Amino acid sequence: MRIFLAGATGAMGKQLVPRLVAAGHEVVGMTRSDGKRAVLEELGASAVVADALHADEVGNAVARAEPEVIIHQLTAIGSVDIRNFDRSFALTNRLRTEGTDHLLAAGRAVGVRRFVAQSYAAWPYARTGGTIKTEEDPLDPTPAPNMRETLNAIRYLETAVTGADWTEGIVLRYGAFYGPGTSMSPGGEQFEMIRRRKFPVVGDGAGIWSFLHIADAAEATVAAVQRGRRGIYNVVDDDPAPVGDWLPALADRLGAPRPRRVPKFVGRLFAGEVGVVLMTDIRGASNTGAKRELGWKPRHPSWREGFAS
Ligand SMILES: NC(=O)c1ccc[n+]([C@@H]2O[C@H](COP(=O)([O-])OP(=O)(O)OC[C@H]3O[C@@H](n4cnc5c(N)ncnc54)[C@H](OP(=O)(O)O)[C@@H]3O)[C@@H](O)[C@H]2O)c1
């Protein structure tokens, strides 16, 4: 198939392009920068330069590419200031709202048969009831004030994509990425915070994190492109785990000192309400639906071994 990939040069794009090409697909990768054409060509894609926030540029790029499938992997996360969460995600939120609209409009104009978009499973679920959530469970009706805009942008993207009745709209709610090119890799922001003992367990550390190796994310995306049906899928590993479990285990793995433990009020002082929620309250996600419907399973079923790979 001919595939238009928005976000082709990022951590995900770099994993995804070679896998799509190996599966026999032709990939047109989008970037804002002329200088990154060569990166895309080395990965096996052809490159198109366009800004995702400009409707005309996106429309023209997609029209020229004439794809059968569009994949939306646009984010601009960079370094996150947890106390100013929505501010840190402001540009990503625009990519998830305006960027989604532009890609959908461009895809509709050329009649793409599938539209696959990136979403997130690791913190948006409601923080009530069971600890492991499926796609049928509600998203958080009362997120921390500093996360509202980001959750609204996620909801917007999911509703727009699954509501596009002229195509097979597929939303992949990825777990927290780790592995090459992510902030959870040697030299990455979060690993280095753990090494420097700047990533404490807050309160009871009962917040449940769902992780995903970036290579597994790419493989699930290929599966969705090839055989996904309209809907939302949690793409996470098999081992959702509380912070109090994974954080000390990862510190051990990195040869770092054991993480500090701080009470909630100290966590709130340094990381705000969002930090406390992420450490003590979020729920994990189940990948049963993705395994059944996409015929995918993670090669790194648990972060326990995956972090070492
Ligand atoms: N599920 C997760 O845990 C998750 C999800 C996303 C990101 N992350 C992590 O967050 C960290 C930083 O990621 P990042 O968001 O900075 O992503 P990134 O890996 O740099 O990728 C961002 C992609 O979006 C494209 N892009 C951004 N704005 C664009 C625009 N206006 N027009 C066209 N393309 C645009 C970039 O293309 P050009 O720069 O070439 O224009 C690039 O291909 C990484 O560690 C990543 O793993 C984690």
Side-chain angles (χ1 to χ4, degrees):
M1 288 185 286
R2 232 172 124 66
I3 297 167
F4 186 93
L5 173 55
T9 57
M12 244 312 265
K14 285 188 180 129
Q15 296 286 328
L16 190 49
V17 172
R19 286 177 171 82
L20 290 168
V21 171
H25 304 299
E26 217 179 306
V27 180
V28 179
M30 185 169 100
T31 172
R32 279 162 299 179
S33 128
D34 215 32
K36 290 192 191 167
R37 278 179 186 278
V39 178
L40 287 172
E41 283 159 8
E42 262 165 48
L43 292 169
S46 53
V48 60
V49 174
D51 186 331
L53 296 174
H54 284 96
D56 290 349
E57 290 186 21
V58 175
N60 289 335
V62 171
R64 276 201 309 275
E66 291 187 287
E68 292 159 88
V69 177
I70 290 180
I71 308 176
H72 174 352
Q73 295 286 350
L74 298 164
T75 51
I77 297 170
S79 154
V80 175
D81 171 4
I82 209 84
R83 293 172 59 87
N84 291 297
F85 196 80
D86 278 338
R87 201 189 299 159
S88 293
F89 276 81
L91 195 48
T92 295
N93 294 342
R94 287 189 65 198
L95 293 166
R96 285 178 169 155
T97 52
E98 295 163 55
T100 301
D101 284 346
H102 300 336
L103 282 171
L104 279 170
R108 186 170 199 172
V110 298
V112 294
R113 57 180 154 113
R114 279 205 178 86
F115 189 104
V116 178
Q118 169 176 161
S119 183
Y120 201 51
W123 58 255
Y125 280 111
R127 293 171 288 131
T128 49
T131 50
I132 308 300
K133 304 298 191 184
T134 71
E135 296 82 351
E136 281 73 47
D137 287 311
L139 299 185
D140 196 347
T142 54
N146 235 321
M147 295 175 117
R148 271 190 208 134
E149 288 168 21
T150 306
L151 185 55
N152 283 343
I154 286 173
R155 282 185 198 279
Y156 184 95
L157 175 146
E158 294 192 344
T159 305
V161 171
T162 55
D165 58 4
W166 46 270
T167 190
E168 202 89 63
I170 298 168
V171 167
L172 301 178
R173 286 183 182 159
Y174 299 131
F177 288 159
Y178 68 90
T182 74
S183 55
M184 296 281 280
S185 65
E189 192 179 9
Q190 291 179 48
F191 266 32
E192 294 317 308
M193 283 173 72
I194 294 168
R195 270 193 227 281
R196 296 200 309 271
R197 229 180 164 214
K198 294 212 158 132
F199 200 138
V201 176
V202 175
D204 58 5
I208 300 192
W209 287 44
S210 288
F211 287 104
L212 181 67
H213 193 288
I214 187 101
D216 284 324
E219 290 191 4
T221 310
V222 175
V225 162
Q226 295 183 157
R227 50 184 174 272
R229 288 186 305 158
R230 175 177 298 114
I232 298 180
Y233 303 91
N234 290 334
V235 179
V236 296
D237 79 6
D238 294 343
D239 194 11
V243 177
D245 188 358
W246 69 260
L247 186 47
L250 176 54
D252 264 8
R253 179 75 76 180
L254 297 177
R258 276 189 92 67
R260 288 176 221 281
R261 287 190 165 263
V262 301
K264 268 192 188 183
F265 80 91
V266 174
R268 192 169 285 115
L269 224 53
F270 287 97
E273 188 59 23
V274 172
V276 172
V277 163
L278 295 177
M279 287 296 202
T280 63
D281 216 13
I282 59 169
R283 302 307 206 249
S286 158
N287 61 16
T288 308
K291 284 180 167 166
R292 187 183 59 236
E293 301 293 327
L294 303 178
W296 162 87
K297 63 175 191 205
R299 282 177 206 264
H300 304 274
S302 171
W303 50 270
R304 289 172 209 275
E305 295 78 37
F307 281 152
S309 66

